[in-house]
């Protein structure tokens, strides 16, 4: 009983911060009310059966020699007989009441199911469906029937309503007469059992249909377009640092810098088309949708360059608990989310910078490639001024490149290039400060050493696979004759070095070596 009271109180005061609290609250409260109703019927039925036994005993005692008295040898048999008879009467009363309540509950449940059954939107509601993403609409039959019944009751008047009530009470009297000879207040209890059973059956079936069956129907409908297991497994093989999902965050603020040479492969695009065809509203309304389902949907949209839609999925993921771990502790998710939101446009760029910083805090949980990607993105944000600290913080962050045992490996040369850009910003600042102080800068040892460090970083970056592409893509940072002069005006980090160092010019202007002639001609 204490547990029943505690569960009922919990249902009346639900925890609104939990998912699916409405289902737990509704069914807990309704189930406890049904249980309490059944317990009352059982207790009354037991009492009615016992009182009927007493009444029948008093009625038959004077005419039955066996009940009037006998020798001591039959006293035990008489007591046992009376007890068995009482138990039979109690079972008869209890089962009769429960049978009446269940019959009424079945009728009410059928109506509840009919009123609660969802329906697909009509043609007139198609536009609203496309706007909200809802493929099924919760039933409004109960509201419509309620309005209809209200009008009928008002139209027919109180006379017919009185007749209906009279017919109900008459039926309860007849049933009570058959079962209990209309004793012990049975007409009222029979009426309560019928009315209570009908109401509880209606409410339970209606709510179950709305909260459970409606979702199953919607799931079956959306399941027709659900991605295959092969498709979802294929997406798990794509690395979080892959630029096929979203371009890495660039040091440049110009949107053109988002262009990337990495392109998704044909299987990636085919899988993305299959998954992205599901509306986001349908996906999130499915009762069995998982964290990975939403993540795959966001990846699909990102691969198709629909970054604004992909941002919806990543924002939802970051606000959803994933078992015992928090999404903000997952460097893979944070890296992808930062890049997708950055690519989604200026609206999300502040959020992208914050996510990149959060990824930096947990980067040690990831493998080396992801750590390098996170480090590069944060360094690019520092150099572009989107995060405070500038080149000083960037140099601190990139100081450990190549250092053992926990240095960044930088297999694609990006981190060395970013460190060269950071040193280029430092070079410009030192050059301006020394010139303002009237010092000779031509043979300044500090500037000379800095130029040498820059050349070493660029040599490493250009020596990696794809180094020539890296050189051409970043030429505006040092080349005064670049076709993207307007882009590099405020981002010419290495132009001062280019103008002062002939060795630097030779390094960055050397054309790529010709590809070997595979034809042999």
């Amino acid at each position: 009983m204490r547990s029943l009271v505690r569960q009922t109180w919990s249902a009346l005061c639900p925890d609104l911060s939990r998912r699916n609290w409405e289902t737990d609250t509704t069914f807990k409260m309704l189930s406890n009310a049904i249980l309490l109703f059944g317990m009352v019927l059982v207790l009354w039925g037991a009492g009615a059966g016992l009182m009927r036994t007493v009444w029948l005993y008093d009625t038959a005692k004077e005419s039955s020699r066996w009940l009037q008295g006998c020798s001591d040898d039959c006293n035990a048999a008489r007591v046992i007989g009376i007890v068995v008879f009482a138990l039979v009467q109690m079972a008869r009363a209890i089962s009769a009441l429960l049978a009446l309540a269940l019959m009424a509950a079945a009728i009410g449940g059928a109506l509840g199911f009919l009123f609660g059954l969802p329906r697909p939107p009509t043609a007139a509601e198609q536009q609203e469906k496309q706007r909200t993403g809802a493929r099924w609409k919760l039933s409004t039959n109960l509201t419509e029937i309620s309005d209809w019944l209200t009008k009928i009751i008002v139209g027919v008047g109180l006379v017919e309503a009185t007749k209906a009530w009279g017919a109900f009470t008459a039926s309860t009297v007849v049933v009570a007469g058959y079962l209990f000879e209309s004793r012990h207040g049975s007409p009222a209890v029979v009426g309560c059992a019928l009315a209570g059973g009908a109401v509880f059956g209606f409410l339970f079936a209606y709510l179950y249909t709305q909260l459970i069956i409606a979702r199953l129907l919607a799931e079956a409908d959306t399941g027709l377009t659900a991605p295959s297991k092969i498709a979802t497994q294929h997406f798990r093989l794509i690395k979080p640092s892959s630029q096929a999902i979203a371009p890495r965050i660039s040091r440049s603020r110009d949107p053109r810098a988002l262009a990337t040479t990495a392109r998704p492969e044909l299987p990636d695009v085919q899988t993305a088309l299959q998954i992205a065809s599901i509306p986001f509203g349908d996906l999130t309304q499915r009762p069995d949708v998982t964290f990975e389902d939403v993540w795959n949907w966001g990846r699909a949209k990102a691969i198709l360059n629909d970054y604004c839609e992909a941002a919806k999925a990543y924002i939802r993921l970051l606000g959803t608990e994933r078992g015992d771990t928090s999404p903000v502790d997952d460097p893979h998710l944070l890296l992808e989310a930062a890049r997708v939101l950055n690519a989604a446009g200026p609206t999300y760029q502040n959020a992208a910078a914050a996510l990149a910083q959060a990824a930096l805090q947990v980067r040690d949980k990831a493998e080396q490639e992801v750590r390098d990607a996170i480090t590069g993105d944060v360094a690019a944000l520092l150099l572009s001024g989107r995060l405070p600290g500038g080149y000083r913080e960037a140099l601190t962050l990139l100081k450990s490149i190549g250092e053992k045992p926990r240095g960044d490996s930088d297999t694609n040369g990006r981190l060395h290039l970013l460190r060269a850009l950071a040193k280029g910003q430092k070079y410009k600042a030192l050059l301006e400060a020394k010139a303002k102080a009237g010092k000779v800068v031509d043979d300044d040892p500090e500037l000379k050493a800095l130029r040498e460090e820059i050349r070493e970083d660029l040599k490493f970056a250009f020596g990696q696979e794809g180094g020539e592409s890296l050189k051409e893509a970043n030429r505006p940072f040092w080349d005064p004759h670049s076709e993207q002069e307007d882009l590099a005006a405020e981002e010419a980090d290495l132009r001062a070095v280019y103008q002062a160092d002939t060795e630097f010019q030779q390094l960055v202007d050397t054309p790529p070596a010709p590809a070997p002639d595979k034809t042999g001609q």
Side-chain angles (χ1 to χ4, degrees):
M1 180 61 68
R2 182 179 300 177
S3 176
L4 179 63
V5 173
R6 183 169 58 252
Q7 290 181 5
T8 304
W9 179 256
S10 175
L12 292 172
C13 303
D15 182 5
L16 302 183
S17 63
R18 294 186 297 108
R19 291 178 59 86
N20 297 327
W21 63 267
E22 67 280 6
T23 304
D24 294 342
T25 301
T26 301
F27 283 113
K28 276 185 179 179
M29 185 167 59
L30 187 58
S31 299
N32 290 341
I34 293 174
L35 180 61
L36 182 61
F37 178 72
M39 290 172 58
V40 170
L41 292 182
V42 169
L43 289 175
W44 188 90
L50 185 60
M51 288 188 292
R52 178 177 173 79
T53 301
V54 173
W55 172 68
L56 290 175
Y57 177 81
D58 289 338
T59 302
K61 181 171 63 174
E62 306 220 351
S63 60
S64 174
R65 181 179 300 177
W66 185 71
L67 292 175
Q68 289 177 356
C70 61
S71 61
D72 294 339
D73 295 337
C74 67
N75 280 336
R78 181 176 61 183
V79 171
I80 293 174
I82 294 174
V83 170
V84 170
F85 185 79
L87 292 176
V88 170
Q89 291 299 318
M90 293 169 64
R92 173 179 176 272
I94 292 173
S95 60
L97 286 176
L98 292 181
L100 290 172
L102 288 175
M103 179 196 68
I107 297 174
L111 293 175
F113 176 79
L114 177 64
F115 291 155
L117 194 65
R119 60 179 176 84
T122 61
E125 297 167 333
Q126 289 297 321
Q127 184 176 0
E128 179 69 14
K129 180 197 75 171
Q130 294 176 358
R131 186 180 68 82
T132 61
R135 298 177 67 90
W136 287 81
K137 182 178 181 180
L138 290 181
S139 175
T140 58
N141 294 337
L142 182 61
T143 304
E144 296 172 1
I145 295 297
S146 176
D147 294 339
W148 178 66
L149 287 176
T150 302
K151 295 175 182 178
I152 291 296
I153 291 174
V154 173
V156 173
L158 296 177
V159 176
E160 296 297 329
T162 303
K163 290 181 179 180
W165 174 253
F168 175 76
T169 55
S171 63
T172 59
V173 170
V174 171
V175 173
Y178 279 120
L179 294 175
F180 307 104
E181 285 79 21
S182 297
R183 294 176 177 274
H184 325 306
S186 55
V189 176
V190 168
C192 291
L194 291 172
V199 170
F200 282 123
F202 177 86
L203 289 177
F204 189 88
Y206 179 78
L207 293 174
Y208 190 90
T209 303
Q210 290 277 57
L211 298 177
I212 306 299
I213 296 180
R215 295 187 179 184
L216 294 177
L217 289 174
E219 177 189 354
D221 182 62
T222 57
L224 297 177
T225 57
S228 64
K229 292 184 179 180
I230 297 177
T232 55
Q233 291 174 355
H234 175 79
F235 262 18
R236 295 174 185 172
L237 302 177
I238 301 178
K239 296 180 179 179
S241 57
S242 172
Q243 292 192 76
I245 298 176
R248 57 197 181 194
I249 299 177
S250 171
R251 177 261 180 272
S252 175
R253 285 177 171 268
D254 193 284
R256 287 174 290 176
L258 290 176
T260 174
T261 56
R263 295 288 183 265
E265 298 179 357
L266 181 58
D268 298 337
V269 176
Q270 291 174 334
T271 304
L273 288 171
Q274 181 181 358
I275 295 178
S277 63
I278 305 173
F280 189 62
D282 285 355
L283 178 71
T284 55
Q285 287 176 6
R286 293 181 57 169
D288 63 339
V289 64
T290 64
F291 192 92
E292 284 70 24
D293 291 335
V294 180
W295 196 341
N296 286 336
W297 190 91
R299 280 186 156 194
K301 287 292 185 180
I303 286 176
L304 298 175
N305 291 343
D306 192 355
Y307 295 115
C308 290
E309 284 295 306
K312 296 180 182 179
Y314 284 94
I315 291 172
R316 182 181 179 90
L317 291 173
L318 292 169
T320 304
E321 292 298 326
R322 189 183 184 185
D324 297 332
T325 62
S326 173
V328 296
D329 292 333
D330 187 345
H332 304 88
L333 176 60
L334 290 171
L335 172 63
E336 282 190 28
R339 290 185 172 184
V340 168
L341 266 63
N342 183 70
T347 304
Y348 298 99
Q349 285 188 350
N350 288 336
L355 291 174
Q357 279 187 306
L360 185 66
Q361 302 301 318
V362 294
R363 63 173 175 170
D364 289 342
K365 298 180 180 180
E367 60 274 18
Q368 186 65 54
E369 184 176 356
V370 174
R371 291 206 300 268
D372 287 354
I374 293 172
T375 302
D377 286 351
V378 175
L381 289 167
L382 289 167
L383 294 177
S384 64
R386 292 170 57 186
L387 286 178
Y391 69 86
R392 292 181 178 86
E393 289 294 330
L395 287 174
T396 301
L397 180 63
L398 299 171
K399 181 180 179 181
S400 62
I401 297 176
E403 296 180 0
K404 300 297 182 181
R406 299 194 52 173
D408 298 304
S409 59
D410 195 22
T411 56
N412 56 20
R414 183 193 182 201
L415 298 183
H416 281 79
L417 173 64
L418 287 169
R419 188 164 67 178
L421 295 177
K423 291 177 180 178
Q425 291 187 7
K426 179 180 179 180
Y427 183 89
K428 285 198 301 183
L430 285 174
L431 189 64
E432 292 174 0
K434 290 179 181 293
K436 188 176 181 179
K439 296 181 180 180
V440 178
V441 297
D442 292 340
D443 295 324
D444 187 271
E446 185 177 8
L447 295 177
K448 185 177 180 180
L450 197 54
R451 292 198 299 268
E452 184 176 352
E453 293 176 6
I454 292 173
R455 292 198 303 271
E456 291 299 320
D457 279 336
L458 291 181
K459 286 179 182 179
F460 180 91
F462 298 157
Q464 304 305 305
E465 183 178 359
E468 291 300 332
S469 298
L470 189 69
K471 180 191 298 186
E472 292 303 317
N474 293 277
R475 186 170 294 279
F477 289 119
W478 58 76
D479 190 352
H481 306 295
S482 171
E483 295 179 357
Q484 301 184 32
E485 178 74 20
D486 56 334
L487 171 64
E490 297 181 357
E491 301 171 358
D493 297 337
L494 296 173
R495 190 162 299 175
V497 180
Y498 182 90
Q499 295 171 344
D501 193 330
T502 56
E503 293 185 38
F504 181 87
Q505 295 177 14
Q506 293 176 358
L507 173 64
V508 298
D509 290 339
T510 303
D517 188 353
K518 297 182 180 180
T519 63
Q521 298 178 356

